Amino acid sequence: MKPIEMTLSAWGPYREEETIDFSGFDGNGLFLIAGPTGSGKTTIFDGITFALFGETSGEMRERESLRSDFSKEGTETYVNLLFSHNGKIYKIYRSPKYLRPKKRKTGNDEFVEEKERAKLFLPDDKVIEGPKEVTKKVQELLALDYRQFKQTTMLAQGEFTKLLYASPQDKTKIFREIFGTTMYEKFAKNLKEKTKALNV
């Protein structure tokens, strides 16, 4: 999966629309998003991860807290992600659940809840709608779920520290999943059991 362009609207520190063009990195499989604390690195990770899986990039933020506190009443909160995968172009629109002020002040409640919405535009012009349906299709396309995507593709701020201080057993488990060596572990275990049986 290679991000091409992402638009964030009323998202985190962005009160209106902000578009990030990743096309300048075309041909480079690895690039670094760097900057001082508070510069918006995690916001970019959240946008990509939420677009794909409906989840944030780390454990410190909740999906319901993605709407910008600085946005205007009528500004919609959403992320649009254009990306390529296996030579084909896909586009995802996803909006989180959030509260917005009522257009008409009736009753005691001043806010109304906007439900989470999602659309995935496929290369064959088909459109998949619904948060669960889009997430399921993305998992099929990438052959990764949310947890695996975080471990193999995008290491957000704070997650690397967790990896550094993980126990040797946890590190072994993480790297085994990242590099897909589980089959070799099972093979070695079977050999060990057969050798033990022959020596009895």
Side-chain angles (χ1 to χ4, degrees), residues 112-123:
V112 62
E113 182 181 272
E114 290 285 350
K115 294 183 179 180
E116 182 179 341
R117 301 187 303 277
K119 289 183 181 180
L120 172 61
F121 300 85
L122 301 174

Side-chain angles (χ1 to χ4, degrees), residues 1-174:
M1 191 284 291
K2 291 183 180 180
I4 299 173
E5 184 180 275
M6 180 171 67
T7 298
L8 300 169
S9 174
W11 189 281
Y14 306 127
R15 61 179 299 181
E16 296 179 348
E17 280 190 359
E18 290 291 337
T19 298
I20 302 168
D21 183 7
F22 295 99
S23 61
F25 300 108
D26 190 33
N28 297 294
L30 184 67
F31 57 88
L32 176 68
I33 296 175
T37 301
S39 62
K41 301 183 298 295
T42 302
T43 302
I44 296 172
F45 290 158
D46 282 342
I48 294 172
T49 311
F50 186 80
L52 295 172
F53 300 101
E55 300 286 350
T56 58
S57 63
E59 297 176 355
M60 300 302 292
R61 293 162 305 284
E62 296 181 358
R63 294 183 299 174
E64 288 76 16
S65 66
L66 293 172
R67 180 170 173 81
S68 174
D69 294 331
F70 311 106
S71 60
K72 297 178 182 178
E73 289 186 13
T75 306
E76 182 186 356
T77 299
Y78 67 86
V79 55
N80 262 329
L81 177 65
L82 186 70
F83 68 96
S84 65
H85 182 65
N86 289 336
K88 296 180 179 180
I89 304 298
Y90 299 84
K91 182 180 177 181
I92 294 181
Y93 159 89
R94 202 186 288 253
S95 174
K97 181 173 71 173
Y98 63 92
L99 293 176
R100 65 164 176 79
K102 278 186 174 180
K103 294 179 181 178
R104 294 182 180 178
K105 308 293 184 183
T106 56
N108 296 326
D109 295 329
E110 296 182 7
F111 294 88
V112 62
E113 182 181 272
E114 290 285 350
K115 294 183 179 180
E116 182 179 341
R117 301 187 303 277
K119 289 183 181 180
L120 172 61
F121 300 85
L122 301 174
D124 59 3
D125 294 330
K126 289 183 180 178
V127 180
I128 295 175
E129 295 191 49
K132 291 182 180 178
E133 292 77 7
V134 168
T135 300
K136 182 179 178 181
K137 185 62 179 178
V138 168
Q139 289 176 349
E140 291 176 5
L141 287 171
L142 304 185
L144 293 170
D145 61 20
Y146 163 66
R147 182 179 58 83
Q148 293 166 332
F149 180 80
K150 286 210 314 174
Q151 289 178 331
T152 62
T153 308
M154 186 180 300
L155 204 56
Q157 182 176 328
E159 299 293 321
F160 186 63
T161 304
K162 189 187 299 183
L163 176 62
L164 286 177
Y165 289 99
S167 67
Q169 293 83 2
D170 287 341
K171 284 180 183 175
T172 299
K173 183 179 179 182
I174 290 170

